[in-house]
Amino acid sequence: MKVVASAKKLAVPAILLVGCALSCSVSNSNLVDRYVELVVMYVGINFILTLSLNLVNGYMGEFSVGHAVFMAIGAYTSAIITVKVFSLSLGPWIFPLAVLTGGMASALAGLLVAIPSFKIRGDYLAIVTLAFNMIVKSIIENVDFLGGPRGYLGIAKLTSLVWVFFFSFMALWVIRNFVYSNYGRGVVSIREDETAAIIMGVDTKKVKIMTFMLSSFFAGVAGALYAHLLQFISPKSFDILKSTEILIMVYLGGIGSIAGSVLGASVYTVLLELLRPLGIWRMVIMPLVLVFLMIFRPKGITGLREFKWFIPSAEKKIKLFKHKV
Amino acid sequence: MDLLKITGLTHYFGGLRAISDFELTVNSGEIYGIIGPNGSGKTTLFNLITAVYRATSGSILFKGTEITTMSSDRINALGIARTFQNIRVFNGLSVLDNVRVAQFNKFQYNILEALFNLKSFKKDEALVTERAWELLKSFNLDHRAYDLAGTLPYGLRRYLEIVRALATEPSLVLLDEPAAGMNQVEISKMIETVKDIRNKYGVAVLVIEHQMSLIMGICEKLKVLDFGVTIAGGLPKDVRKDAKVLEAYLGSEVMD
Amino acid sequence: MKNKLNRILMLAMAVSLVLISTAGCSKKDSSVKAEADVIKIGVIAELTGEIPAVGASCKNAAEMAVKTLNDSGGLEVGGKKMKIKIQIEDNAGRAEQAASSAQKLITQEKVVAIIGPNSSGGAIPTSEITETAKIPMITPWSTNPKTTIDTRLGKPKRYAFRACYLDSFQGQVLALFAKNTLHAKKAAILFDSSSEVLKGQAEVFKNTFEKNGGSVSAYETYTQGDRNFSAQLTNIKNSTPDVIFLPSYYSDVPLEVQQAHRLGITTPFLGSDAWASSELLKLCGKDCDGYYFSSHYSASSKSPDTIKFVKDYEALYKNTPDDVAALTFDAFGIVFEAIKAAGSAESEAIRNAISKIKGYHGVTGNISFTGETGDPVKGVVILEIKNGAFNWYTDVNP
Amino acid sequence: MRLGLSYLIQQFLNILQLGSLYALIAIGYTMVYGVLSLINFAHGDVFMLGAFIFFLAALWLKLPFIPALIVTVCVTVCVGVLIERLAYRPLRNAPKMSAVITALGVGVFLENFTLALSPYPQHIPEIVKNRAWVMGQVTVSSIQTIIIAISVTLMVILDFLVRKTRFGMALRAISWDISAVPLMGIPVNRIISQTFALGAALGGAAGVMYSLAYPVIDPYMGIMIGWKAFISAVVGGIGNVRGAMTGGFILGTVEIAVTMFLPSTYRDIVAFTLLFVLLIFRPHGIFGTARSVKL
């Protein structure tokens, strides 16, 4: 028994270490096609985005439609740090710090949505998030320091497969811990019945702040990875179309499920690349696939279930979260 | 000391007076009943105590603290828990999680400890889970602990609500029609449960009920409301004989 | 239940992995086999997304350029005739898709050069990838100075070229044209502030115009997708300018001009290369008559190359070629010329040959590269809209 | 900037024109939301289809204005009903958000399908002779007049339909409680189809008038205006027809007023910040009310 327990304790760092080593050797050797590697990195970034939005839209049952705004804040903050604040030679070492700072800046911005959410709910909160997305995009367009609509340039290519793996894994692990803690139960209780939750002692304001901040933190992390992968960001990269793309990945995969986010992000990203030979018809077929998937699997691919590895061992026996609506 | 002391409580819905000049004192460990015809303002009273509504005037003191302007979760942290007339368990959470989430105020760990799965987090989680199991066992709900609350039958959901309320470690529980829709056998089981709440957990109970058998079986004191006005109060045997009460109930329900 | 989900997850992951790798491998095999007598060039175009018309023109011109060459027997490389094959990828007008298209073209299709993307938002990330992979790329239409410059090092990128002139040059030419030829003292500007290109043009115009003694009486903006300009135009009307500089995409121009006329504005408009599409004539009707704009080329040019290009294009696509089409055609011309000069279809040799091109007679005028930067030396054409046609007015060379 | 009376009148006319178009499209959102609690994101693209069908009717069939308008409205009604049948009805009992995502998918499909057939923007021929009447410094155009007149007429008719007819009563009953309605003998499916038909008709009509005012049409024209109409519907209180009309005019006013007084670069920042603030003070829009919860 003891051996099993200590093995379990080591599982998380072990997976992290092996994964990092593996992704490091893959990107340094020529084993994997650069294109495949790039697509895998897109999948990772999209997974972080999807999972972080899932926290708000799936677990908490709100409808945030402006998730790209947090990505933008993380991307711009981290880019400024690696370009303006620290010299180029320090870049690679400062990178994880820049990513985390980007995430924190974005988490602070998450407060701006969390506080209205105390009073505003449902479709009205959706409009608040939409408005926030438009406001920030418009501000970036008007600030010359950020390059305006021309975009922010001179970003070094610091995102590698290793970092994408590392941050995807951290997002998965941290959000899993959150979801299966009492904060996470509080989040679901807000979705199920906010009035009852607050009467039963759930500090709903605190839970909402935590959820929005955690969600926007990881969106910011994804934004930072995105910026240092493409080496170019502009307000257009974070417009309402990007937000709807993330939204589609969340509902395609399945709400309130970490496995759903893994599947939603991978299926969407890979399909978009696989359909390339269709040329202009790719973007006609893609939404059709989505509509058919929704009709035949209205609850997303995972349909509210969870992959058992993602559930902490103490919680395994519990039947899974099911959705009211 | 008085546990709950309500003085001059008045509440308006628009122009309609739902509760007027209400007075109530509940002592520790007491079982107090509130009866009255439909629409007499009983549930409104509970909603005022738990801050779902804000009182137009008057004061509510709990353990000597003014709670009239407090938020619902703070009031709960002070020691008031309740159940609802139309059951409101968290259908999408498991039975166990329903009981665990109600211990929100009991958690010592902070957000970072939770996010990084640290020792203090695991210790607290284990403690809270154990307490949840104990409660579930003593109310015979443990065999359904892993099921979603939404899949429980009506009667069990009523008990789950009571367990959830007790999980917040209250000193006063407000029960809103706990025996609604129950038959005589089930009612007598509920009577035992309510007595248990007081005797085993030392919690005072304020109960609203239409089922006179339950009220008369357990309440030490009674208050009768009609159209928001207190028309009688005192010991159950005195209230039963009160002329005004008989008049208010005439035709609507036969007492006992 | 849970087991089923595990299986679904595993299956999905396995399937997608297999699909990606087989897609990659099969492509690799075919390209290895075909490599002997075919040169592969990649095209990244905005077929969907916000500027699909640009992508459509780019695709048309690319297909025509390659077809013309292959029909004439192919390209002479080191004494051997070789055919050209193009692979067109859609970037949906988004940066990340431009990057993945470029990476796919390079690693899976093994192209020797890339033409495109046209928008700077796509061209900049693409140029970063081609720079690493050492594959030359020519963007037909991205006028952003940063496309060919490595901002971090402050040096020109080695493998990034463009077929068009720079915005700064165009803005200066237009400001001087307004001041000297149109004799304007007060100018109003209305532009799409969400477009990096148009905002740049407006800024350069404003600076140059003010430096040369003019004044800007109104500086109004709108955002992509706006259709109602009445508020801005009313402001402009009240500032009584002599000329209105309108760096707007051709699809917006007719709306702006017609709404201005409806509001009783009679001040002449002056446009930039964003006007240059034959669609403008159809869309604008008589409303745009008498206005001037700058362009990369003139379809009514008397140069025999241009006449042939316009005739061929019209025969194929029933449409007058716009400047994106002309620039794409020239980008292909430059690559073909470079392959011929280098006598090799190696990327590095092509890159070196492109940087040495002098006085290439393109559809859009004479194009030379200095060898130092990827920006060509070429002139601006000023066109006048008259009787429903674009007429050549003057050439301004650097 | 001179703020003469004529300037204000001119801008007021601009507000009326823009606002009535927003209002017409917003009604489509709000009615569908009322019966199904579904944000019909494909509505902006039905509006776009309206403009394209009008273009085809005018160019190919060479129809004059009124017949072309009628043909367009008929076709968009069919499209609207078809979308409901094929894409939304199978999801009637699914989670609400799945239907919303389906709507997004249908919208993207309509956009890119149109794009694949016509990558270049199209120009609407001058089907209505445009005249401009100059009164002092104010210019009134015939197209402006037509747009405002038709929109207002349509809105009055719709308001009458919702408030006074059996259909309207059924509509309001469904939006109150869809599960109780079949018990009262109301054919739910038929009413929902009719609602979609009506919404699509207004969207199509708005597309026609939009392309009169702004005669360059492209497949993506519905995205931005769709979002803005959705915002109008929410500002007015979603589910409320009069609220949607008011919301449309409010959004039009804010957009134009901001451009009047501030550099237009800041229009979006100011307009959306106002929206943000409005929702903080009126969390359910202007006409919306919180559904009270019974404990």
Side-chain angles (χ1 to χ4, degrees):
Chain A
M1 275 314 272
K2 240 185 184 164
V3 180
V4 175
S6 62
K8 264 185 188 151
K9 214 178 269 174
L10 288 175
V12 169
I15 295 172
L16 191 60
L17 212 68
V18 170
C20 280
L22 207 68
S23 50
C24 190
S25 61
V26 158
S27 59
N28 284 330
S29 69
N30 281 326
L31 271 176
V32 175
D33 193 315
R34 286 285 215 182
Y35 169 59
V36 176
E37 189 187 334
L38 184 71
V39 174
V40 170
M41 284 198 265
Y42 282 174
V43 170
I45 293 174
N46 283 339
F47 161 68
I48 301 176
L49 288 169
T50 309
L51 184 57
S52 61
L53 183 62
N54 208 338
L55 211 50
V56 172
N57 284 26
Y59 290 96
M60 199 156 75
E62 282 298 353
F63 191 49
S64 164
V65 293
H67 206 52
V69 71
F70 301 115
M71 206 186 159
I73 291 165
Y76 274 92
T77 311
S78 62
I80 290 168
I81 292 172
T82 56
V83 173
K84 293 258 161 78
V85 183
F86 291 97
S87 65
L88 196 65
S89 55
L90 261 175
W93 300 105
I94 233 62
F95 180 57
L97 217 67
V99 172
L100 291 177
T101 319
M104 278 172 213
S106 171
L108 284 181
L111 268 181
L112 282 177
V113 179
I115 289 168
S117 81
F118 297 162
K119 266 175 79 182
I120 308 171
R121 300 214 62 196
D123 302 309
Y124 299 94
L125 189 65
I127 291 295
V128 168
T129 58
L130 174 72
F132 192 52
N133 195 341
M134 302 263 206
I135 291 169
V136 171
K137 179 179 173 256
S138 210
I139 288 176
I140 298 174
E141 269 167 12
N142 280 296
V143 176
D144 285 332
F145 173 71
L146 300 174
R150 273 170 187 272
Y152 198 74
L153 292 151
I155 308 169
K157 186 169 191 253
L158 298 171
T159 301
S160 60
L161 197 57
V162 186
W163 285 122
V164 172
F165 173 80
F166 176 78
F167 283 110
S168 305
F169 185 83
M170 286 312 280
L172 199 160
W173 186 63
V174 166
I175 289 179
R176 182 205 75 159
N177 289 343
F178 179 79
V179 166
Y180 290 101
S181 78
N182 227 27
Y183 293 103
R185 284 170 220 130
V187 171
V188 181
S189 75
I190 289 176
R191 181 188 74 203
E192 294 294 322
D193 190 336
E194 188 170 348
T195 318
I198 189 168
I199 291 172
M200 296 327 290
V202 177
D203 188 344
T204 52
K205 285 183 180 170
K206 189 171 167 190
V207 169
K208 280 183 176 178
I209 287 179
M210 294 296 171
T211 313
F212 273 105
M213 283 181 83
L214 190 64
S215 161
S216 47
F217 174 84
F218 277 108
V221 166
L225 292 172
Y226 175 92
H228 291 85
L229 179 61
L230 291 180
Q231 301 173 260
F232 170 77
I233 43 174
S234 72
K236 261 198 191 132
S237 314
F238 310 110
D239 58 3
I240 190 76
L241 291 175
K242 186 80 201 174
S243 295
T244 42
E245 203 179 21
I246 308 170
L247 214 54
I248 285 173
M249 288 188 281
V250 171
Y251 291 92
L252 179 70
I255 47 174
S257 153
I258 298 172
S261 296
V262 174
L263 281 172
S266 350
V267 168
Y268 183 85
T269 316
V270 172
L271 208 58
L272 210 56
E273 291 298 323
L274 286 181
L275 292 178
R276 278 197 171 279
L278 294 174
I280 200 165
W281 292 94
R282 174 177 67 140
M283 295 311 235
V284 182
I285 302 298
M286 197 65 195
L288 273 188
V289 172
L290 178 74
V291 169
F292 279 116
L293 243 163
M294 279 289 133
I295 289 177
F296 292 110
R297 286 197 76 86
K299 289 171 183 162
I301 301 172
T302 58
L304 315 176
R305 283 161 302 159
E306 190 62 281
F307 187 45
K308 70 173 178 211
W309 290 358
F310 296 156
I311 307 172
S313 47
E315 313 286 330
K316 282 227 162 82
K317 282 187 190 152
I318 294 175
K319 302 241 169 82
L320 280 146
F321 295 149
K322 199 176 157 191
H323 288 258
K324 194 172 55 172
V325 189
Chain B
M1 195 182 64
D2 308 326
L3 189 64
L4 180 74
K5 192 174 169 60
I6 299 176
T7 43
L9 190 70
T10 305
H11 184 70
Y12 284 89
F13 281 123
L16 192 78
R17 195 149 61 171
I19 288 272
S20 97
D21 226 9
F22 184 77
E23 312 271 337
L24 177 76
T25 306
V26 181
N27 295 316
S28 302
E30 201 168 38
I31 300 182
Y32 209 121
I34 294 179
I35 58 170
N38 280 326
S40 57
K42 304 183 301 284
T43 299
T44 306
L45 176 66
F46 275 17
N47 285 340
L48 287 170
I49 298 174
T50 53
V52 178
Y53 303 147
R54 289 275 175 233
T56 312
S57 66
S59 104
I60 307 171
L61 286 174
F62 183 70
K63 293 182 183 165
T65 313
E66 180 69 52
I67 60 166
T68 327
T69 53
M70 240 178 223
S71 70
S72 303
D73 57 320
R74 298 268 300 110
I75 293 172
N76 177 270
L78 270 180
I80 300 182
R82 72 175 278 188
T83 67
F84 301 89
Q85 190 177 343
N86 45 343
I87 304 168
R88 298 179 77 158
V89 294
F90 305 120
N91 291 327
L93 281 173
S94 68
V95 169
L96 178 64
D97 280 348
N98 263 279
V99 185
R100 286 199 288 185
V101 76
Q103 302 178 60
F104 197 88
N105 286 315
K106 307 295 169 293
F107 280 70
Q108 298 297 315
Y109 60 77
N110 64 31
I111 180 80
L112 288 177
E113 288 165 331
L115 292 185
F116 294 102
N117 205 4
L118 299 184
K119 268 219 178 78
S120 50
F121 162 75
K122 284 188 210 160
K123 210 181 77 197
D124 261 22
E125 278 282 310
L127 244 139
V128 162
T129 310
E130 199 179 323
R131 237 181 69 77
W133 274 113
E134 272 170 26
L135 278 169
L136 286 175
K137 266 182 201 143
S138 52
F139 286 85
N140 289 323
L141 279 167
D142 51 330
H143 64 291
R144 301 295 296 266
Y146 293 129
D147 290 343
L148 289 177
T151 61
L152 293 189
Y154 176 82
L156 289 188
R157 270 187 284 164
R158 278 249 176 259
Y159 281 98
L160 176 58
E161 260 204 327
I162 292 173
V163 174
R164 185 177 68 174
L166 286 177
T168 66
E169 291 187 339
S171 20
L172 173 67
V173 170
L174 317 180
L175 300 178
D176 198 343
E177 298 197 22
M182 287 184 170
N183 63 30
Q184 215 49 52
V185 181
E186 289 164 334
I187 289 175
S188 22
K189 201 182 147 213
M190 183 57 83
I191 288 175
E192 290 312 307
T193 307
V194 177
K195 279 183 182 160
D196 265 6
I197 294 174
R198 193 258 308 269
N199 298 341
K200 263 170 79 179
Y201 299 93
V203 177
V205 178
L206 186 59
V207 56
I208 295 174
E209 192 47 80
H210 278 301
Q211 298 289 346
M212 282 307 148
S213 56
L214 186 126
I215 288 286
M216 294 303 165
I218 53 173
C219 291
E220 281 135 14
K221 279 185 195 154
L222 265 186
K223 222 159 232 173
V224 188
L225 278 179
D226 193 19
F227 290 109
V229 182
T230 314
I231 52 171
L235 299 174
K237 61 175 169 32
D238 301 335
V239 170
R240 196 187 299 206
K241 291 174 196 138
D242 192 292
K244 273 192 272 180
V245 177
L246 289 172
E247 189 192 335
Y249 268 89
L250 204 68
S252 64
E253 231 166 304
V254 183
M255 296 192 73
D256 213 356
Chain C
M1 287 286 266
K2 244 181 260 167
N3 276 334
K4 197 176 154 201
L5 182 69
N6 288 344
R7 259 182 283 140
I8 293 178
L9 190 74
M10 287 297 187
L11 198 73
M13 280 180 165
V15 166
S16 52
L17 267 176
V18 167
L19 279 176
I20 304 182
S21 46
T22 50
C25 294
S26 62
K27 288 275 166 53
K28 261 180 224 155
D29 293 346
S30 63
S31 65
V32 168
K33 248 182 272 159
E35 219 167 316
D37 48 347
V38 166
I39 301 171
K40 235 178 169 185
I41 297 176
V43 177
I44 304 174
E46 293 75 5
L47 297 179
T48 55
E50 280 162 350
I51 43 170
V54 167
S57 291
C58 180
K59 177 173 178 269
N60 288 348
E63 281 167 348
M64 189 176 105
V66 172
K67 189 172 175 294
T68 316
L69 187 86
N70 285 344
D71 287 352
S72 71
L75 201 58
E76 178 109 12
V77 183
K80 203 170 87 181
K81 284 269 184 189
M82 288 178 94
K83 296 267 192 217
I84 303 287
K85 189 167 175 267
I86 51 167
Q87 173 76 28
I88 301 176
E89 295 288 339
D90 174 25
N91 70 10
R94 302 203 71 90
E96 65 267 26
Q97 291 221 23
S100 63
S101 317
Q103 198 62 262
K104 182 184 175 210
L105 288 171
I106 293 168
T107 57
Q108 304 217 321
E109 308 290 341
K110 310 276 183 213
V111 298
V112 296
I114 288 177
I115 309 285
N118 293 295
S119 70
S120 302
I124 293 172
T126 302
S127 72
E128 300 286 356
I129 286 173
T130 53
E131 202 68 7
T132 321
K134 298 194 179 3
I135 301 280
M137 79 150 221
I138 305 183
T139 167
W141 201 56
S142 161
T143 47
N144 188 327
K146 301 291 160 61
T147 307
T148 53
I149 289 176
D150 188 327
T151 329
R152 264 168 298 144
L153 307 174
K155 278 196 318 200
K157 285 176 190 154
R158 201 174 138 78
Y159 298 90
F161 297 91
R162 74 177 96 224
C164 51
Y165 47 66
L166 287 171
D167 270 337
S168 47
F169 178 57
Q170 178 183 214
Q172 287 162 9
V173 167
L174 282 170
L176 294 176
F177 180 79
K179 192 83 208 351
N180 302 334
T181 313
L182 300 179
H183 306 293
K185 291 189 185 62
K186 269 206 292 187
I189 303 175
L190 172 63
F191 66 99
D192 177 349
S193 66
S194 65
S195 152
E196 78 265 17
V197 181
L198 303 178
K199 190 178 181 193
Q201 291 175 357
E203 283 166 358
V204 175
F205 182 93
K206 184 168 183 269
N207 287 339
T208 318
F209 195 72
E210 283 172 346
K211 219 180 276 166
N212 285 283
S215 73
V216 172
S217 62
Y219 195 63
E220 297 287 328
T221 61
Y222 63 95
T223 323
Q224 172 150 37
D226 283 2
R227 297 302 160 93
N228 186 357
F229 310 96
S230 49
Q232 293 96 322
L233 287 168
T234 309
N235 285 345
I236 288 176
K237 186 185 174 190
N238 287 348
S239 76
T240 60
D242 301 320
V243 64
I244 303 170
F245 180 47
L246 186 67
S248 286
Y249 285 118
Y250 68 88
S251 49
D252 294 337
V253 171
L255 300 177
E256 288 153 341
V257 171
Q258 283 160 359
Q259 285 174 40
H261 290 174
R262 237 175 267 162
L263 286 170
I265 294 175
T266 51
T267 321
F269 283 91
L270 176 65
S272 71
D273 62 334
W275 283 34
S277 164
S278 56
E279 296 290 314
L280 181 72
L281 296 172
K282 274 189 249 160
L283 303 175
C284 206
K286 267 178 288 174
D287 280 304
C288 290
D289 247 26
Y291 298 156
Y292 298 95
F293 68 94
S294 62
S295 178
H296 294 274
Y297 100 117
S298 158
S300 59
S301 159
K302 298 285 171 291
S303 133
D305 291 328
T306 314
I307 292 171
K308 182 176 181 306
F309 165 71
V310 173
K311 212 183 90 201
D312 291 352
Y313 191 96
E314 280 175 345
L316 261 174
Y317 304 113
K318 317 268 175 292
N319 218 335
T320 312
D322 53 20
D323 58 352
V324 177
L327 289 167
T328 308
F329 194 79
D330 274 357
F332 270 94
I334 292 168
V335 171
F336 297 158
E337 188 76 13
I339 295 176
K340 249 188 281 177
S344 150
E346 294 286 316
S347 293
E348 188 66 28
I350 297 174
R351 184 260 150 208
N352 289 333
I354 293 176
S355 73
K356 289 195 196 89
I357 281 178
K358 291 277 178 304
Y360 170 74
H361 292 285
V363 174
T364 64
N366 286 348
I367 301 169
S368 302
F369 286 95
T370 57
E372 284 153 19
T373 69
D375 302 328
V377 181
K378 63 187 292 196
V380 174
V381 186
I382 304 258
L383 298 179
E384 185 188 7
I385 304 175
K386 217 177 184 174
N387 303 326
F390 294 152
N391 290 316
W392 179 85
Y393 186 76
T394 181
D395 275 337
V396 186
N397 286 311
Chain D
M1 195 186 298
R2 279 172 290 158
L3 286 174
L5 182 65
S6 56
Y7 174 79
L8 287 178
I9 295 174
Q10 188 76 63
Q11 295 288 34
F12 180 67
L13 285 173
N14 297 338
I15 288 172
L16 274 186
Q17 180 184 330
L18 187 65
S20 54
L21 286 172
Y22 283 157
L24 270 190
I25 310 170
I27 291 171
Y29 274 105
T30 234
M31 288 206 321
V32 168
Y33 188 89
V35 292
L36 285 184
S37 298
L38 162 74
I39 309 169
N40 181 13
F41 279 121
H43 189 60
D45 300 297
V46 170
F47 154 84
M48 176 275 293
L49 275 188
F52 268 84
I53 293 158
F54 178 66
F55 165 75
L56 293 180
L59 196 77
W60 285 2
L61 307 176
K62 304 244 182 302
L63 292 176
F65 177 62
I66 297 293
L69 176 69
I70 293 170
V71 167
T72 308
V73 167
C74 290
V75 178
T76 49
V77 163
C78 295
V79 172
V81 172
L82 212 65
I83 292 176
E84 193 270 327
R85 262 291 154 76
L86 298 179
Y88 301 156
R89 195 170 292 179
L91 286 163
R92 187 80 51 79
N93 297 317
K96 181 180 137 197
M97 283 306 153
S98 307
V100 173
I101 297 302
T102 309
L104 262 176
V106 170
V108 177
F109 168 74
L110 290 179
E111 284 153 22
N112 287 320
F113 186 73
T114 316
L115 176 79
L117 302 178
S118 144
Y120 291 100
Q122 300 291 353
H123 181 244
I124 302 272
E126 197 180 7
I127 196 166
V128 177
K129 193 86 199 120
N130 190 33
R131 275 200 201 85
W133 298 289
V134 182
M135 290 175 255
Q137 287 186 336
V138 179
T139 318
V140 185
S141 73
S142 52
I143 286 180
Q144 210 163 31
T145 322
I146 290 177
I147 290 173
I148 297 171
I150 295 186
S151 313
V152 172
T153 316
L154 286 176
M155 281 187 253
V156 171
I157 293 175
L158 186 88
D159 195 61
F160 174 79
L161 269 179
V162 171
R163 270 161 212 282
K164 294 278 147 71
T165 60
R166 281 178 58 103
F167 164 75
M169 263 165 58
L171 189 80
R172 280 177 292 145
I174 293 178
S175 60
W176 188 250
D177 186 355
I178 193 166
S179 55
V181 163
L183 305 176
M184 303 188 296
I186 298 174
V188 175
N189 276 338
R190 204 171 79 205
I191 297 292
I192 289 175
S193 288
Q194 283 168 353
T195 309
F196 269 87
L198 211 55
L202 291 180
V208 170
M209 282 181 288
Y210 198 78
S211 53
L212 275 189
Y214 317 114
V216 180
I217 57 173
D218 70 79
Y220 294 118
M221 65 191 277
I223 302 178
M224 212 48 222
I225 197 148
W227 280 108
K228 285 189 175 163
F230 172 48
I231 289 169
S232 310
V234 173
V235 165
I238 196 155
N240 182 315
V241 171
R242 283 191 180 173
M245 296 179 195
T246 322
F249 284 105
I250 289 175
L251 192 67
T253 311
V254 169
E255 283 199 353
I256 286 181
V258 172
T259 335
M260 273 162 69
F261 300 113
L262 289 167
S264 31
T265 334
Y266 297 114
R267 187 196 58 194
D268 278 7
I269 302 179
V270 177
F272 285 110
T273 310
L274 281 177
L275 178 73
F276 205 100
V277 173
L278 173 96
L279 281 177
I280 286 174
F281 287 105
R282 296 231 21 128
H284 298 279
I286 292 172
F287 288 98
T289 43
R291 292 229 167 140
S292 58
V293 206
K294 189 161 163 34
L295 289 177

